[in-house]
Amino acid sequence: MFNFRDISLFAVSAALSISVSTSAQAGEVNLYTSNSEDAVALVLDALAEQAPDIKVNVIGGGSGSLLRRIDAEKSAPAADLFWSSGFSTLAGFSQLFDQYESPEVDNLLPALQAREDAWTGTNTHVMVLMVNADVLDRDTPTSWEDLMDPAWKGKVTIADPANSSSAYAQLYGIYKLYGEDGVRALADVVEVQGSTSGVYKAVAQGEYPVGMTMEYAAQRYVAGGQDEVSLIYPSDGTFLSPEGMALIKDGPNPEDAKRVYDLLLSKDLQQQLFELTFRRPSRGDLDEAIAASGLPLMKDIKIIDVDQTVAGDERERLLELWSEARG
């Protein structure tokens, strides 16, 4: 996830809510989000237009740090809505959330409806290899298994799975495909970045020829004109990391938070967010927009099925294995 300073987003929020701040009927929602500044700004613009009576206060940061903050505040919750993190990560904090079934849920892809969980899918990440041809001195890797060759040591980078829900999805996918031996082989090869953004930035800047990252992040460089950057969908299959948002249990403004929740799932806003960020939407009625972007449709990608609940349950043990393998 992108990280940014709380103060800058509070400033954006304040600017967008000036017109309603003096209204006696104005509502208020405290939104904790790990999403990028440009995505948050787009959402605030949309909310200012579609729900002008709601003042949205934003706290930004990494998903893990924000969830730990919500946990620390649980005796007196300050947040109303959390947007967003991977399903497997949210599973570890489910006691912090109130279940809410939005009227938009029927429009979502079945795998992202999460009707039995205390969150709803907002988008899904497809894990890819991001390659920078300018610094690649060997054949382009075509699979996850290729990266386990010791010849790639020091030439591949990944985010820290303990702090990045997408990196954990990658690690769990490797474990599901190749077991503990695959995890150990990968650990011997990769260089670990402190944040998710560190991976795609390092590859884009030519510090590494290959990064294990998310489709949307790599595609933004391609769309931005970096011809040396390409996306590889591994031939041995790839993994999805669905992300969700959740209402905070006993949050101070639950009804207004539900209105924001519904708008975040609406077709118009999800399409706008996709066109800005390339994050695949959770809705099932946006294939035309996806095709127009140049990305493949989901049906054309080889996906390895991952049970997100099991992935969440195995998180602690797998991270311990990863830490031991890394030495």
Side-chain angles (χ1 to χ4, degrees):
M1 297 295 173
F2 291 81
N3 292 325
F4 39 86
R5 295 183 182 275
D6 295 352
I7 189 168
S8 65
L9 285 180
F10 270 123
V12 172
S13 173
L16 290 172
S17 59
I18 286 173
S19 64
V20 300
S21 61
T22 59
S23 170
Q25 301 302 314
E28 190 165 0
V29 170
N30 299 322
L31 173 66
Y32 285 17
T33 180
S34 59
N35 284 271
S36 61
E37 268 191 88
D38 55 353
V40 173
L42 185 154
V43 166
L44 291 176
D45 280 338
L47 291 172
E49 180 178 335
Q50 298 178 48
D53 59 315
I54 298 178
K55 175 184 176 184
V56 180
N57 304 307
V58 179
I59 292 286
S63 58
S65 62
L66 287 173
L67 287 166
R68 289 189 291 270
R69 177 171 177 163
I70 294 168
D71 188 39
E73 295 172 346
K74 62 188 175 187
S75 61
D80 295 298
L81 181 61
F82 174 70
W83 174 56
S84 56
S85 187
F87 282 15
S88 60
T89 299
L90 291 171
F93 295 87
S94 59
Q95 75 281 2
L96 302 176
F97 309 134
D98 269 336
Q99 194 159 16
Y100 169 59
E101 185 163 308
S102 168
E104 295 287 350
V105 164
D106 287 343
N107 298 307
L108 306 188
L109 295 165
L112 295 178
Q113 292 178 359
R115 291 181 186 272
E116 303 302 315
D117 299 310
W119 52 82
T120 304
T122 53
N123 61 279
T124 190
H125 294 303
V126 179
M127 301 305 154
V128 300
L129 300 178
M130 178 179 176
V131 176
N132 187 324
D134 281 355
V135 289
L136 186 68
D137 61 359
R138 63 192 68 239
D139 290 342
T140 301
T142 60
S143 68
W144 303 112
E145 188 175 23
D146 284 349
L147 301 184
M148 298 174 194
D149 187 326
W152 284 101
K153 187 174 180 66
K155 298 179 182 295
V156 181
T157 187
I158 186 176
D160 183 353
N163 293 322
S164 165
S165 58
S166 60
Y168 179 72
Q170 295 155 19
L171 180 64
Y172 186 79
I174 295 296
Y175 169 69
K176 187 169 176 66
L177 278 175
Y178 297 109
E180 293 187 4
D181 288 345
V183 170
R184 293 190 181 95
L186 186 70
D188 285 340
V189 168
V190 297
E191 299 284 338
V192 175
Q193 302 291 324
S195 67
T196 303
S197 62
V199 174
Y200 47 79
K201 288 179 180 178
V203 176
Q205 293 166 4
E207 296 173 26
Y208 295 89
V210 180
M212 298 172 60
T213 190
M214 296 169 287
E215 174 189 57
Y216 90 92
Q219 181 64 17
R220 293 186 79 167
Y221 290 98
V222 174
Q226 283 197 230
D227 295 338
E228 72 276 17
V229 173
S230 62
L231 284 65
I232 304 297
Y233 295 83
S235 59
D236 40 0
T238 193
F239 331 110
L240 303 181
S241 178
E243 290 198 336
M245 64 178 165
L247 291 178
I248 307 306
K249 187 182 294 292
D250 300 323
N253 307 290
E255 295 309 311
D256 286 321
K258 289 176 183 177
R259 291 176 60 198
V260 174
Y261 196 112
D262 295 343
L263 284 168
L264 282 167
L265 296 177
S266 68
K267 183 175 182 179
D268 180 59
L269 192 47
Q270 284 223 346
Q271 180 165 338
Q272 289 184 59
L273 282 167
F274 172 72
E275 290 172 349
L276 175 70
T277 68
F278 298 106
R279 292 176 180 235
R280 286 183 183 258
S282 58
R283 295 184 67 98
D285 50 6
L286 290 173
D287 276 0
E288 185 175 339
I290 292 169
S293 75
L295 293 177
L297 296 179
M298 198 72 82
K299 66 181 180 63
D300 298 322
I301 302 171
K302 182 179 180 181
I303 303 296
I304 304 300
D305 184 48
V306 169
D307 186 318
Q308 297 297 325
T309 301
V310 174
D313 290 344
E314 296 198 81
R315 179 182 175 83
E316 184 175 348
R317 183 189 67 79
L318 189 53
L319 289 177
E320 286 179 1
L321 172 63
W322 175 254
S323 180
E324 292 170 4
R326 292 284 300 163

